[in-house]
Amino acid sequence: MVEKYLFGSPFETEAVTEQIPAVSDIGAIPYGKISVENGFCFQYQMEDTDVIYGLGEANRGINKRGYKYVSHCTDDPNHTEEKTSLYGAHNFIVVSGKQHIGFFFDYPSTISFDIGYTKQDLLTISCSRADLYLYVIIGESAYDVVKQFRKIIGKSYVAPKYAFGFGQSRWGYKSAADIETVVQRYRENQVPIDMVYLDIDYMQDYKDFTVNEERFPAFGQFVQEMKDKKIHLIPIIDAGVKIEKGYDIYEEGVEKGYFCKREDGSEFVASVWPGWTHFPDVLNPDARAWFGGKYEILTSLGIDGFWNDMNEPAIFYTEEGIRALNQAIVEHVKTFGIDKMIDNPDAIPFDARGILEQIQNNSEDYKRFYHNVNGKMVRHDLVHNLFGYNMTRAAGEALKKIAPDKKMLLFSRSSYIGMHRYGGIWTGDNQSWWSHILLNLKMMPSLNMCGFLYTGADLGGFGSDTTRDLLLRWLALGVFTPLMRNHTALGTREQECYQFEQIEDFRHVIGVRYRLIPYLYSTYIKSVQQDAMYFRPLGFDFAEDRRAVETEDQLLLGDEAMIAPVYTQNVSGRTIYLPEEMMFVKFLPDGTIHEEILAQGTHYVEVALNEVPLFIRKGKCIPIVDVAQNVDAIDISTMKYLGYDGAAYTLAE
Ligand code: MIG
């Protein structure tokens, strides 16, 4: 049962596609306390045993209880435990206990979720304006609530099958030669691969939809050569459009009025990678169609996949920011005196970092520009969380027009619920930390709840230097995430698989992915078609088993399997909890598979660095095939079944 409540005059986010009559003018709803004075506030009294699921791309655990979260799409590359906002805004939670209730707060600006942080039994959701839709969903189980929610937000985006291959990425591949090296080394080492990503370095001066001709001569031909090697090149597209005379996209955008404007009608200017830029007004349907149409510049050269970045949108600084920086320097000099500073500069440190942090992604800047939404000017901060969604929608809608029958790869950094119909997401700038393997794992089911099925993290870690063992363990989780991509930041240790000793271990782990692709893609397609979750917390299927509910380092995969990756260093295995009997299977480096029935309960399983563990649920089986070097080369005639005798599996495509 879904109820829709209307407060004030909400912005139409188009997150929900189903027409549901709204109940308005209500002072109360039967589920909790509502106040619409001084903004909106909803309070719900939690039972001791209630688990709170949801919030999609958010920090901390699968059970969100005990902390606070703020939906405010933010480019923050430091995902430390205290952070409350990441790149996405996914305002859907499910209270699961004696009853199962879902709440979706369709509100496009900053909204806070205090989930037993201030008071342990109190759930408080608040935002500064009482203009929103609240959807309340009552179900028989947490999963039932999720399925009803998924039904009203529309079917998830479907990625092409090749996108289930392995991808290599690095910020810093500068030329066609760099890319060729990556491909050659993967191929000569027989480590399967389908995609190589082009980060901002492929562009001419970071201008969207341009290619540096010196470093990537005859780009169309290069794309084709890669295709012949069964490699898809996946270029990045940034949100900001460089201001440069003669750059057609800039000039057209200005002429048509398709960039975000200041109150006085002039274009808003912000600095990002290309230097001074304008933001395409993706909330304006005409501008959206125009910007999306630009993707054709690259698809016409054979490109069939994209990743959209910097679309919170991230801002390095604005003119106001520079002024603030100058002012801070002046104040500093005034306070301490230039003579003293010259005499002993170390004694009076200038907090440059603090000041830069203040001018970057500054909240005041987000109040300085407007969107033209069907003729009405809407200040950006009021709809901030919709930018990445609509940039990706621009691409998704356009790609459908450009090639109606072709599936294209598309994923975004920033998102809001609704964007799941147009693309997937990756989880942004994690670090080469063991704790981030676990964070990756925990985010996956929460994202699936909100419709984001094609998703994954930067395997090996984006920031800081990775290690061989970290990468191997992380890949053994990535084997199961729809997006399986090794990506890292400029300046970090090189982390392509061939940079490390004993390449055969990487060949094996990634090879296991290819053995599972028919099953994983089928599970993915079923999840799209049935509004199901590709990954589920154990508590979704075993709600009565407290131990299962509290297990947050294992996930159910489809209806047949469970994953339990190793995520700590210098260990030869881990403890697992089985809520029911399962078959423990381990893909061994010699190509054979260890199979062992384990009883319900706790076990310690040994998993070496070069092994991939998986559990098959009681009475089930999954299809596996022989290893292939790319998705196209998978030979379905080698398919056999792994798991319980007598079980059957039906593939979906
Ligand atoms: O300010 O394009 O999250 O994946 O490599 C950094 C460079 C901009 C952030 C993305 C990351 C990408 C990087 N980008």
Side-chain angles (χ1 to χ4, degrees):
M1 186 193 62
V2 183
E3 291 166 3
K4 177 181 181 181
Y5 297 100
L6 163 76
F7 299 95
S9 37
F11 184 88
E12 298 297 333
T13 67
E14 296 173 57
V16 172
T17 46
E18 201 163 285
Q19 298 292 331
I20 302 167
V23 181
S24 54
D25 291 327
I26 39 153
I29 61 171
Y31 315 102
K33 257 179 30 202
I34 291 208
S35 146
V36 289
E37 284 148 42
N38 303 317
F40 173 86
C41 180
F42 172 69
Q43 291 195 312
Y44 179 93
Q45 195 65 38
M46 296 183 285
E47 302 257 352
D48 277 354
T49 51
D50 280 349
V51 174
I52 312 300
Y53 293 111
L55 294 185
E57 184 181 26
N59 215 348
R60 296 211 179 196
I62 290 177
N63 182 354
K64 292 289 174 223
R65 204 161 166 161
Y67 204 57
K68 56 184 173 170
Y69 306 85
V70 180
S71 288
H72 176 71
C73 298
T74 308
D75 172 19
D76 180 345
N78 276 308
H79 309 169
T80 42
E81 215 175 301
E82 82 284 8
K83 292 297 164 68
T84 53
S85 301
L86 297 172
Y87 311 91
H90 306 143
N91 306 331
F92 175 56
I93 54 169
V94 176
V95 178
S96 179
K98 281 185 199 132
Q99 34 178 5
H100 307 275
I101 311 184
F103 298 103
F104 173 49
F105 301 85
D106 190 10
Y107 181 76
S109 187
T110 305
I111 178 163
S112 306
F113 295 76
D114 178 331
I115 307 182
Y117 168 78
T118 302
K119 285 186 89 184
Q120 57 184 357
D121 288 334
L122 197 61
L123 172 62
T124 305
I125 290 100
S126 56
C127 52
S128 66
R129 297 189 176 221
D131 296 313
L132 73 155
Y133 292 111
L134 165 59
Y135 294 81
V136 181
I137 304 170
I138 313 286
E140 280 162 15
S141 63
Y143 200 14
D144 179 38
V145 170
V146 168
K147 285 188 172 169
Q148 293 186 54
F149 178 60
R150 292 273 302 282
K151 183 160 179 282
I152 67 165
I153 59 174
K155 290 270 175 283
S156 298
Y157 153 82
V158 182
K161 197 165 187 185
Y162 82 75
F164 271 64
F166 171 73
Q168 180 62 54
S169 184
R170 179 183 178 85
W171 177 9
Y173 295 149
K174 284 207 161 33
S175 61
D178 285 354
I179 304 293
E180 273 162 358
T181 304
V182 173
V183 173
Q184 192 196 332
R185 302 227 39 203
Y186 270 96
R187 288 282 182 249
E188 75 192 9
N189 282 298
Q190 293 181 342
V191 179
I193 184 167
D194 274 85
M195 289 160 283
V196 178
Y197 287 77
L198 302 177
D199 206 320
I200 47 175
D201 317 277
Y202 80 90
M203 293 185 239
Q204 177 67 46
D205 305 320
Y206 304 132
K207 281 182 287 189
D208 279 341
F209 312 108
T210 69
V211 177
N212 181 298
E213 281 172 19
E214 225 166 275
R215 292 183 278 105
F216 289 88
F219 187 67
Q221 205 179 311
F222 180 58
V223 173
Q224 203 43 59
E225 277 165 31
M226 286 291 138
K227 277 253 158 86
D228 296 343
K229 294 181 176 161
K230 300 290 176 191
I231 296 293
H232 299 258
L233 294 179
I234 314 295
I236 196 171
I237 304 293
D238 276 7
V241 171
K242 185 175 177 63
I243 299 177
E244 187 187 273
K245 232 179 156 322
Y247 171 34
D248 50 354
I249 298 180
Y250 157 73
E251 291 194 339
E252 262 177 55
V254 171
E255 195 193 294
K256 297 184 189 259
Y258 286 165
F259 292 124
C260 292
K261 301 231 164 62
R262 286 181 174 264
E263 202 174 6
D264 66 6
S266 65
E267 272 81 22
F268 175 73
V269 178
S271 181
V272 212
W273 287 109
W276 294 117
T277 66
H278 291 325
F279 291 134
D281 185 359
V282 287
L283 270 72
N284 168 350
D286 295 335
R288 190 159 67 227
W290 167 76
F291 189 76
K294 298 300 170 196
Y295 284 73
E296 192 165 9
I297 295 171
L298 292 165
T299 58
S300 69
L301 298 173
I303 292 294
D304 54 8
F306 298 92
W307 50 311
N308 284 344
D309 191 22
M310 304 298 277
N311 50 9
E312 293 68 29
I315 295 178
F316 292 169
Y317 54 84
T318 57
E319 271 176 30
E320 284 85 351
I322 295 186
R323 254 180 262 140
L325 179 65
N326 285 335
Q327 193 53 38
I329 296 169
V330 169
E331 292 299 326
H332 187 77
V333 173
K334 259 198 221 152
T335 311
F336 296 103
I338 188 83
D339 290 347
K340 276 202 196 115
M341 288 171 68
I342 289 170
D343 188 38
N344 188 359
D346 295 335
I348 310 162
F350 177 67
D351 180 16
R353 177 178 287 270
I355 288 180
L356 285 176
E357 270 172 14
Q358 275 173 44
I359 67 169
Q360 233 180 316
N361 304 321
N362 181 288
S363 57
E364 289 306 308
D365 282 335
Y366 292 112
K367 295 180 187 156
R368 294 193 169 103
F369 62 102
Y370 291 76
H371 297 277
N372 176 351
V373 185
N374 304 317
K376 205 175 143 218
M377 298 310 276
V378 179
R379 207 174 71 190
H380 175 80
D381 63 314
L382 303 177
V383 289
H384 174 72
N385 291 341
L386 302 181
F387 194 93
Y389 161 20
N390 281 286
M391 179 192 175
T392 302
R393 180 177 179 179
E397 287 174 336
L399 293 174
K400 272 261 153 0
K401 276 200 202 124
I402 295 165
D405 301 323
K406 199 168 161 184
K407 294 190 188 94
M408 302 261 194
L409 174 55
L410 178 62
F411 61 89
S412 175
R413 191 169 70 179
S414 186
S415 60
Y416 184 85
I417 291 173
M419 202 205 83
H420 69 286
R421 300 191 297 271
Y422 303 98
I425 65 157
W426 95 100
T427 59
D429 301 347
N430 58 13
Q431 296 272 339
S432 298
W433 296 341
W434 291 88
S435 61
H436 276 182
I437 300 184
L438 197 51
L439 185 61
N440 177 181
L441 180 95
K442 290 177 181 181
M443 266 186 206
M444 295 294 109
S446 311
L447 281 165
N448 286 184
M449 289 174 68
C450 301
F452 295 96
L453 299 178
Y454 188 81
T455 174
D458 290 351
L459 303 173
F462 177 75
S464 60
D465 292 337
T466 201
T467 57
R468 180 180 185 276
D469 55 351
L470 176 69
L471 178 57
L472 273 169
R473 291 298 196 197
W474 211 330
L475 286 169
L477 163 60
V479 159
F480 302 102
T481 60
L483 169 62
M484 184 189 192
R485 180 176 77 145
N486 175 337
H487 179 50
T488 188
L490 190 69
T492 62
R493 180 185 192 176
E494 292 178 298
Q495 71 181 39
E496 298 84 8
C497 298
Y498 52 79
Q499 306 289 355
F500 302 95
E501 300 152 78
Q502 283 164 270
I503 183 87
E504 60 272 24
D505 291 345
F506 293 91
R507 180 186 308 137
H508 170 62
V509 171
I510 295 174
V512 171
R513 163 68 166 215
Y514 282 74
R515 301 195 68 183
L516 291 166
I517 283 176
Y519 172 62
L520 299 177
Y521 196 67
S522 164
T523 303
Y524 170 70
I525 294 296
K526 287 179 183 175
S527 306
V528 173
Q529 289 170 348
Q530 300 164 12
D531 296 325
M533 289 164 71
Y534 177 98
F535 285 127
R536 287 185 310 288
L538 268 53
F540 270 48
D541 290 35
F542 301 95
E544 302 303 316
D545 177 349
R546 199 63 203 175
R547 181 84 197 276
V549 171
E550 291 175 8
T551 298
E552 295 206 352
D553 57 357
Q554 305 172 194
L555 294 177
L556 298 169
L557 166 61
D559 290 332
E560 300 79 18
M562 185 187 81
I563 62 166
V566 175
Y567 55 90
T568 44
Q569 192 163 26
N570 300 320
V571 298
S572 47
R574 57 163 288 181
T575 302
I576 51 134
Y577 173 67
L578 299 185
E580 64 180 1
E581 179 198 290
M582 290 190 197
M583 181 186 285
F584 172 44
V585 299
K586 212 163 44 164
F587 293 87
L588 304 176
D590 66 1
T592 63
I593 300 171
H594 167 88
E595 301 177 18
E596 181 184 358
I597 304 272
L598 296 178
Q600 188 273 341
T602 304
H603 301 268
Y604 181 84
V605 292
E606 285 186 0
V607 184
L609 262 183
N610 55 7
E611 296 172 344
V612 180
L614 178 66
F615 297 81
I616 312 282
R617 290 180 68 176
K618 194 176 175 189
K620 304 280 183 172
C621 71
I622 65 166
I624 50 167
V625 289
D626 286 355
V627 177
Q629 290 304 300
N630 60 77
V631 171
D632 251 9
I634 290 175
D635 179 359
I636 213 81
S637 74
T638 62
M639 196 164 91
K640 41 184 201 211
Y641 295 95
L642 181 63
Y644 285 82
D645 287 340
Y649 182 85
T650 315
L651 267 184
E653 290 250 11

